[in-house]
Amino acid sequence: MQLSYFELVGFGPNGWGSALLIATCMTIAVATCGFLVGSVIGTIVAWGKIAGNVALRWLADGYTTVLRGIPDLLVIYLFYFGGSAGLSAIGRLFGAEGFVGVPAFVTGALAIGVISGAYQAEVFRGAYQVVSRGELEAARSVGMHRWLMFRRIIIPQVLRYAIPGLGNTWQLVLKESALISVTGLVELLRQSYIAAGSTRRPFDFYITAAILYLFVTWVSTYLFQRAETYSMRGLRRTS
Amino acid sequence: MDFAFMGETFVNLLRGVPLTLNLAFVSLALGSALALLLALMRLSGVKILDWPARAYVFVFRGTPLLVQIFLIYYGLGQFRSVLDSIGLWGFFREAYWCAVCALMLNTAAYSSEIIRGGLQAVPQNEIEAARACGMSGFLLFRRIIFPIAVRQALPAYGSEIILMVKATSLASVITMMEVTGIAAKLIAQSFRVIEIFVVAGLIYLAINFVMTRIIMAIEWWLSPHLRRPPAVEPRLEAAHV
């Protein structure tokens, strides 16, 4: 008996709706974690690029050049295969026997973080250059220390100018999260693959996955737009 | 680090380079033609042409490339009898053509926005000047609008080319043995992740380095007006006249 499309992806007894919904949440979760890891890496790398130290700048430039020049899939393979091999080696040092696996979620989030960190570093660097020098000097002249200045002056302003760029990076991360399916993490694409295999209706499931991805990107575009308007509320813009 | 093993890996991975380049170039060439069409549709100002192009760009930029590849490679198999009857099944049965098709459709969406930006950045007064000389239609497009637009769009298109070279690695998921595909197979056989990763990464970096140099050379060639004039030897004897 051939099920209709809506029976297939719906929430009925034969439907895959709840599985697909959970998988969508997994996609969002792994993308969010990866994005946050990337923010931390991006901040550090951007700082390395801005700081005066030549060696540090070379290191930071090398990081962004390499990570933006090699395919993301390769980085995911590195974390997927390399992570378990590395952990097993560490485990052997402490006397553990055999193979230690890394949870696919952690590998995925770390791989995405390392990749998106390179992109976010460029976004933060660009935004930092827009922050007016006068404000930094003013902060220093009233006796603000580095950390306080970073927290009160630099972060709010850099974030304001970085929001459009961060929005782009988020879209990238969201789409990259589909690659995590090769490691076996049951996110949206993997779940669709499983469902397609067991029902022999691949087109229905992949088109559903595409629609769900589209929905998530559409909602996040809207949210980023709101955030941008909010962050600019006190500013008069030219044109 | 085992350098003998890395050398062997390098030779193995080099066999994947032709396929990687082939996928990138074929899909870029077909994709840019489609992108130009889409950009012209968006700029035409005709709603029936504008909206499909908008929807196309929204869909292909909003979904992961891997989903698009799966949709074409696995998904179209569901319509085998239909595709068979119109003679397209032989085409979509091949992983190569599915990969090219997905990459082409994907890059067309991104490039059409780049081309649209370039076309819109052509200064209006240059078009007016050309019109004043009596140029119009295709000649105006070919001689004035297109060259200026290409010059404006080239830096952004350069990064799209790099992105496409990287995107070809996804073809390995549907059994294509390009550089990443061979690398994944070697990793699964030998479990020497770091060495293989380093070699494969270097190959991609080398390809992308050459690409950026070529694009920079084209940029230089297209913008003679920005180059410094050649140094002219001062003619000393003229001062005595």
Side-chain angles (χ1 to χ4, degrees):
Chain A
M1 187 196 76
Q2 188 83 318
L3 291 169
S4 78
Y5 172 74
F6 288 104
E7 275 176 313
L8 200 64
V9 299
F11 294 92
N14 294 316
W16 288 77
S18 52
L20 287 175
L21 216 57
I22 292 168
T24 311
C25 293
M26 182 58 105
T27 287
I28 296 172
V30 75
T32 310
C33 290
F35 188 73
L36 292 178
V37 173
S39 303
V40 175
I41 296 175
T43 312
I44 296 168
V45 174
W47 169 72
K49 283 183 170 233
I50 295 161
N53 192 326
V54 179
L56 222 58
R57 198 166 64 229
W58 269 82
L59 215 64
D61 280 341
Y63 182 84
T64 47
T65 314
V66 168
L67 264 296
R68 294 197 302 172
I70 58 177
D72 310 330
L73 193 58
L74 213 54
V75 180
I76 289 168
Y77 280 141
L78 173 77
F79 274 78
Y80 177 50
F81 292 113
S84 324
L87 264 194
S88 305
I90 294 170
R92 265 196 299 281
L93 283 181
F94 292 100
E97 283 295 311
F99 190 77
V100 186
V102 187
F105 187 90
V106 178
T107 3
L110 281 180
I112 286 186
V114 166
I115 300 160
S116 80
Y119 290 92
Q120 293 192 41
E122 297 294 319
V123 172
F124 288 140
R125 190 176 60 93
Y128 179 78
Q129 276 161 354
V130 183
V131 175
S132 128
R133 297 301 103 178
E135 300 206 19
L136 298 183
E137 282 165 18
R140 216 169 281 143
S141 75
V142 295
M144 269 195 204
H145 275 295
R146 272 190 171 178
W147 174 240
L148 193 65
M149 190 168 87
F150 183 67
R151 191 160 61 82
R152 284 217 190 132
I153 312 292
I154 297 178
I155 289 187
Q157 300 216 43
V158 163
L159 269 187
R160 171 187 294 161
Y161 295 116
I163 285 175
L166 285 180
N168 284 341
T169 330
W170 166 250
Q171 305 271 9
L172 267 175
V173 163
L174 202 62
K175 287 185 269 169
E176 233 157 55
S177 72
L179 304 187
I180 304 297
S181 62
V182 299
T183 69
L185 180 71
V186 186
E187 42 70 77
L188 185 47
L189 185 57
R190 185 79 197 165
Q191 185 66 65
S192 314
Y193 185 84
I194 294 166
S198 73
T199 58
R200 295 175 177 255
R201 298 275 292 272
F203 189 82
D204 299 54
F205 280 105
Y206 292 130
I207 202 85
T208 314
I211 291 168
L212 285 170
Y213 274 112
L214 215 52
F215 179 72
V216 178
T217 40
W218 178 63
V219 170
S220 44
T221 311
Y222 172 76
L223 290 179
F224 268 98
Q225 244 160 29
R226 284 285 298 272
E228 196 184 327
T229 322
Y230 179 76
S231 73
M232 290 290 180
R233 69 199 177 284
L235 241 66
R236 218 182 329 161
R237 302 190 84 172
T238 47
S239 87
Chain B
M1 288 277 171
D2 180 351
F3 286 103
F5 178 73
M6 280 171 87
E8 198 185 308
T9 309
F10 180 70
V11 175
N12 276 326
L13 289 182
L14 269 191
R15 284 193 209 123
V17 172
L19 185 57
T20 290
L21 292 178
N22 177 324
L23 282 169
F25 281 121
V26 172
S27 48
L28 275 169
L30 296 172
S32 59
L34 184 57
L36 184 62
L37 186 72
L38 285 166
L40 292 178
M41 276 165 76
R42 288 218 44 191
L43 291 174
S44 66
V46 185
K47 267 196 181 152
I48 308 167
L49 294 175
D50 183 31
W51 279 98
R54 261 174 211 269
Y56 180 92
V57 171
F58 175 69
V59 168
F60 279 88
R61 292 207 307 179
T63 53
L65 177 55
L66 199 55
V67 172
Q68 294 159 17
I69 291 177
F70 275 22
L71 197 56
I72 292 173
Y73 184 63
Y74 296 115
L76 289 182
Q78 203 176 315
F79 305 112
R80 186 177 169 174
S81 50
V82 183
L83 288 171
D84 238 344
S85 65
I86 52 173
L88 279 176
W89 177 243
F91 182 75
F92 285 112
R93 197 178 47 193
E94 301 280 337
Y96 172 80
W97 287 112
C98 288
V100 165
C101 187
L103 289 169
M104 172 198 89
L105 294 174
N106 188 269
T107 184
Y110 287 93
S111 327
S112 83
E113 290 294 281
I114 295 170
I115 294 175
R116 188 172 64 91
L119 287 173
Q120 279 179 332
V122 177
Q124 199 57 40
N125 47 12
E126 306 211 10
I127 298 175
E128 275 168 21
R131 283 240 166 81
C133 304
M135 243 189 239
S136 66
F138 188 66
L139 191 66
L140 174 72
F141 184 77
R142 185 166 64 86
R143 284 225 188 124
I144 311 292
I145 299 176
F146 191 65
I148 297 175
V150 165
R151 200 189 282 157
Q152 306 265 18
L154 201 62
Y157 195 66
S159 17
E160 175 62 22
I161 293 176
I162 302 295
L163 282 175
M164 281 308 284
V165 171
K166 296 201 304 174
T168 56
S169 70
L170 297 190
S172 66
V173 177
I174 53 168
T175 71
M176 298 301 290
M177 278 298 148
E178 37 69 76
V179 176
T180 307
I182 297 175
K185 200 183 80 183
L186 289 179
I187 290 175
Q189 280 169 0
S190 66
F191 263 91
R192 299 169 84 163
V193 188
I194 303 290
E195 282 104 329
I196 294 166
F197 174 79
V198 168
V199 175
L202 283 176
I203 289 178
Y204 276 106
L205 283 179
I207 294 174
N208 285 336
F209 180 79
V210 173
M211 290 289 177
T212 44
R213 293 297 124 158
I214 293 172
I215 295 157
M216 276 165 73
I218 296 174
E219 241 170 84
W220 181 84
W221 174 65
L222 279 179
S223 49
H225 61 297
L226 295 178
R227 270 177 247 157
R228 233 190 282 178
V232 182
E233 295 275 320
R235 291 176 56 191
L236 290 174
E237 74 274 20
H240 297 291
V241 179

